[in-house]
Amino acid sequence: MIPKARVVVIDDEVNAAAAIEKLLREDGYDVARAHDGRSGLQAADKFDPDVVITDLRMSGMDGLDLLARIKEMHPETMVILMTAYGTVKTAVKAMKLGAEDYLAKPVDIEELEVVLQKAIEKKRLLQETRVLRERLADKYHLDNVVGQSPEMLAVFKTLRQVAPSSSSVLLLGESGTGKELFAQALHQLSPRKNRPFVKVACAALPETLLESELFGHEKGAFTGALFARAGRFEVADGGTLFLDEIGDISPTVQVKLLRFLEEREFERVGGNRTVKVDVRIVVATHRDLPKKVEEGSFRDDLYYRLNVIEIRIPSLRDRGGDIPLLAHRFICKYAKRNGKEIRGIADDALALLMRNSWPGNVRQLENAIERAVVLSNEPVLTPAHFPALDPGAEAAAPESAARGVAIPGSTLAAIEREAILRTLESTGGSTSRAAAALQISARKIQYKLKEYRRQDVVTPRRI
Ligand SMILES: Nc1ncnc2c1ncn2[C@@H]1O[C@H](COP(=O)(O)OP(=O)(O)OP(=O)(O)O)[C@@H](O)[C@H]1O
Ligand SMILES: [Mg+2]
C-alpha cells in the first residue's frame, strides 16, 4: 500500500489555509496546517511532509527564509510558494533556493492540484532514485550470492520460499558466512524490493542512541535533540529492516521491538504519537540466542517472535564444495577492480584453498583472494600467492568435519560432545581416564556414547 502523501499548508491568513487544507483532505491527502513561519517549520520537522505549500509574505519568518530552512533540513521535501505579490524576481530567487513551483494568489484550485501532483511525483522519483543508487553502490547484490553445495542450495530454497511473505526471519551463522548478503537477497526476492532496505548495526551503537536511531525522536527528547527525526523503522516503511547483531540489544530496546512485532506500532523517543509502519524485520546474529535466552539476557517472548523462520547459514568448512565457485567469483571481481589480467587459479592452489579451515568463512576467503590478485604478476594464481595458508594442512576427515565445533554460536550439547570425544581420543578410548579428566562419571560417558552412536556421530569402531 502506498502511504498517503503528506502536505503542510502554511499561510498567515487562517481562512485561506483552512480552505486549502479542507480541499486537500477531500482529495485524500494527509494534511497539517500552520499560520506562521516558525510553527510551519516545526510542522515540517514533526510531520515529515512530502510537500510544503507556503505563503511568501508572513510576519516573523517569510516564505523564502522558510524555504531555505526546509531545504537545508529536509532536502527531499518539495516546497511550493504562494503569493499575492508575485514578481519575476522573487520567483527566480525562490526557484534558485529550491522551490518546486510558484502559485499566484488567490490560488486557482485546479492549478494547485496539478502543481501538487507534479511535486509529489518528483519527490517519489527522487526517493526511488536514491534507493536505487544506494543499492547499486552497495556491494551486496542478489547475483553476488554464490553457492552450489547441497547445504547452500537448501538455504537458497528456503530463502525463495519465505521471501514473498512478511514474516520475520532470523539468520544465524558464524561471522563471515554471508548473513548480510542473504538479508539483502531476501529483500530483493520479496515484493518489497522497490522499497528501502535499511540496515542497522545494533552492536555499533550505545543503548540510548540505538533506541532513537531505530524509533526516531521528537524535538527536545534529550539534550542535543534539536530537531525531530524519523527513525530507521519509518525510513524502512514498505521495505525491509535488517537488524544486525540482534543478540546485543539492551532490555529497553528489546521491549520496544517486541511491541512492534506484536502490534506493528511504536512511539518516537520523547513522543506520544503512535507511529504505524509496514516493515519486514530480518535479524542476524553470530551469537547463540537460545543460550542468551537461557541466561536471561535476551527475552524469550522476543526470541520466539523473531524466530518465525530460522535460516542457518553453514560455515565454509562444512561446505568446501562452494570454494571453487567462490574463488572464481572473487578472482573475477578483484581482477576487474584492479585492472589485472588474471585468468584463474592453478589446481594445486585451489586444493590449498579447499584444505584450509577458514575460521573467518567467506569473508576470509575473499580477503585472501583479493590480496593474491593485488600482489600477483602472473595470469594464474599459484600456492605462492597464498603465503598465509598452511600448505601442510591435512584435508579434514569427513566425520571430524561434520563433527567440528566452533565455540561462538555452538550449542552446549555440541561443545559437550566435542569435549567428550576429544578426551576419549586422547585417552586412547579409556572411559575411566576420560571420566576422571572431565570430572564426570564413567557411566555418563557410556550413556553419551550410546546417544552419539544412535545419532551416527561415532561408530563403535572409532573409539
Ligand atoms: N555465498 C556468497 N557468495 C558470494 N559472496 C559471499 C557469499 N557469502 C559471503 N560472501 C561475501 O563475504 C563477505 C562477508 O559476508 P557478510 O558480511 O554477509 O557476512 P556476515 O555473516 O554478515 O558476517 P558478520 O557476522 O561478521 O557480520 C562479504 O563480502 C560477502 O559479499
Ligand atoms: Mg554481518
Side-chain angles (χ1 to χ4, degrees):
M1 191 188 76
I2 297 178
K4 280 190 198 171
R6 296 144 77 87
V7 182
V8 169
V9 181
I10 311 167
D11 196 331
D12 53 359
E13 282 172 59
V14 179
N15 290 343
I20 295 180
E21 180 188 20
K22 181 162 174 283
L23 182 96
L24 296 181
R25 273 194 206 283
E26 283 166 8
D27 281 353
Y29 294 102
D30 216 350
V31 193
R33 163 159 66 102
H35 301 295
D36 59 70
R38 210 162 303 281
S39 57
L41 196 60
Q42 273 170 5
D45 279 338
K46 211 164 161 172
F47 195 66
D48 192 20
D50 299 296
V51 181
V52 171
I53 304 177
T54 178
D55 191 17
L56 186 58
R57 296 266 170 104
M58 287 180 296
S59 55
M61 186 192 303
D62 80 6
L64 284 185
D65 286 341
L66 183 65
L67 165 66
R69 295 281 292 274
I70 291 177
K71 280 291 171 189
E72 189 182 60
M73 298 303 304
H74 313 275
E76 280 182 9
T77 298
M78 302 285 128
V79 180
I80 298 170
L81 290 169
M82 309 180 281
T83 183
Y85 309 91
T87 62
V88 174
K89 226 169 116 192
T90 338
V92 170
K93 196 165 169 203
M95 294 308 214
K96 268 198 185 142
L97 283 171
E100 258 327 285
D101 224 320
Y102 204 75
L103 290 168
K105 277 176 108 177
V107 172
D108 177 284
I109 301 305
E110 274 172 28
E111 192 186 353
L112 168 68
E113 280 169 349
V114 172
V115 165
L116 185 57
Q117 265 309 316
K118 235 173 62 195
I120 289 169
E121 198 56 31
K122 181 160 173 198
K123 161 96 196 274
R124 294 239 155 94
L125 272 175
L126 270 179
Q127 247 169 352
E128 269 165 34
T129 331
R130 180 170 48 82
V131 169
L132 275 176
R133 201 181 311 118
E134 278 172 11
R135 207 174 297 147
L136 277 178
D138 207 307
K139 55 182 173 165
Y140 312 120
H141 288 266
L142 174 61
D143 52 355
N144 274 348
V145 185
V146 162
Q148 60 185 12
S149 62
E151 293 85 353
M152 277 322 244
L153 295 182
V155 171
F156 290 174
K157 192 168 160 215
T158 317
L159 214 70
R160 286 207 180 85
Q161 277 170 343
V162 304
S165 82
S166 280
S167 309
S168 305
V169 175
L170 170 62
L171 291 166
L172 297 172
E174 287 175 21
S175 185
T177 45
K179 296 184 290 298
E180 182 164 350
L181 197 65
F182 279 99
Q184 281 262 4
L186 194 67
H187 176 72
Q188 292 283 342
L189 289 170
S190 80
R192 299 167 174 267
K193 65 170 191 260
N194 293 323
R195 308 287 300 164
F197 174 88
V198 175
K199 176 195 162 178
V200 179
C202 297
L205 294 168
E207 170 179 348
T208 47
L209 268 186
L210 177 63
E211 193 183 349
S212 77
E213 177 74 15
L214 287 176
F215 300 102
H217 60 75
E218 296 295 357
K219 183 176 169 185
F222 45 83
T223 325
L226 296 181
F227 299 97
R229 186 165 175 256
R232 312 300 277 170
F233 268 89
E234 285 171 72
V235 174
D237 196 9
T240 305
L241 181 62
F242 172 47
L243 303 175
D244 204 3
E245 297 313 342
I246 192 75
D248 298 317
I249 61 173
S250 70
T252 321
V253 178
Q254 289 183 30
V255 170
K256 250 182 133 153
L257 182 57
L258 178 65
R259 161 137 179 258
F260 175 78
L261 291 171
E262 284 175 346
E263 327 218 340
R264 300 278 145 188
E265 62 183 35
F266 59 89
E267 279 95 37
R268 288 182 177 176
V269 176
N272 44 26
R273 183 167 64 92
T274 302
V275 185
K276 274 191 179 288
V277 288
D278 166 27
V279 167
R280 180 193 210 162
I281 303 287
V282 177
V283 304
T285 182
H286 61 260
R287 294 194 191 279
D288 185 352
L289 269 190
K291 188 165 152 233
K292 291 196 128 229
V293 171
E294 212 171 282
E295 291 166 358
S297 59
F298 201 89
R299 297 180 68 104
D300 55 355
D301 42 9
L302 177 58
Y303 173 65
Y304 296 123
R305 283 269 168 195
L306 289 172
N307 194 12
V308 180
I309 295 153
E310 179 182 302
I311 299 181
R312 204 172 270 274
I313 305 173
S315 43
L316 189 55
R317 68 187 155 281
D318 291 339
R319 50 178 168 109
D322 285 337
I323 290 180
L325 204 61
L326 285 166
H328 278 106
R329 164 60 62 112
F330 296 142
I331 291 172
C332 292
K333 174 173 167 183
Y334 291 103
K336 199 166 157 207
R337 186 173 293 181
N338 294 287
K340 296 240 170 168
E341 301 250 333
I342 296 181
R343 285 200 312 273
I345 178 164
D347 286 349
D348 51 352
L350 194 58
L352 177 66
L353 297 185
M354 292 186 68
R355 277 202 304 272
N356 199 52
S357 64
W358 303 111
N361 292 294
V362 184
R363 180 181 292 114
Q364 190 190 2
L365 173 67
E366 184 169 355
N367 291 345
I369 291 187
E370 180 180 4
R371 180 181 183 281
V373 168
V374 168
L375 296 180
S376 167
N377 295 316
E378 294 141 61
V380 173
L381 298 181
T382 65
H385 292 119
F386 299 96
L389 303 187
D390 176 8
E394 284 295 320
E399 314 96 292
S400 71
R403 226 183 65 196
V405 53
I407 300 289
S410 301
T411 60
L412 275 182
I415 294 168
E416 182 192 60
R417 185 185 67 211
E418 201 61 7
I420 292 176
L421 294 181
R422 282 200 195 162
T423 311
L424 275 169
E425 277 167 0
S426 74
T427 63
S430 156
T431 24
S432 54
R433 277 195 296 145
L438 290 165
Q439 299 193 1
I440 54 174
S441 69
R443 264 193 43 213
K444 178 155 187 182
I445 294 189
Q446 303 286 8
Y447 166 75
K448 287 282 172 190
L449 273 177
K450 231 161 88 191
E451 205 177 288
Y452 301 153
R453 279 181 197 124
R454 217 179 30 240
Q455 296 163 355
D456 283 331
V457 177
V458 290
T459 53
R461 223 174 355 94
R462 275 202 64 230
I463 304 222

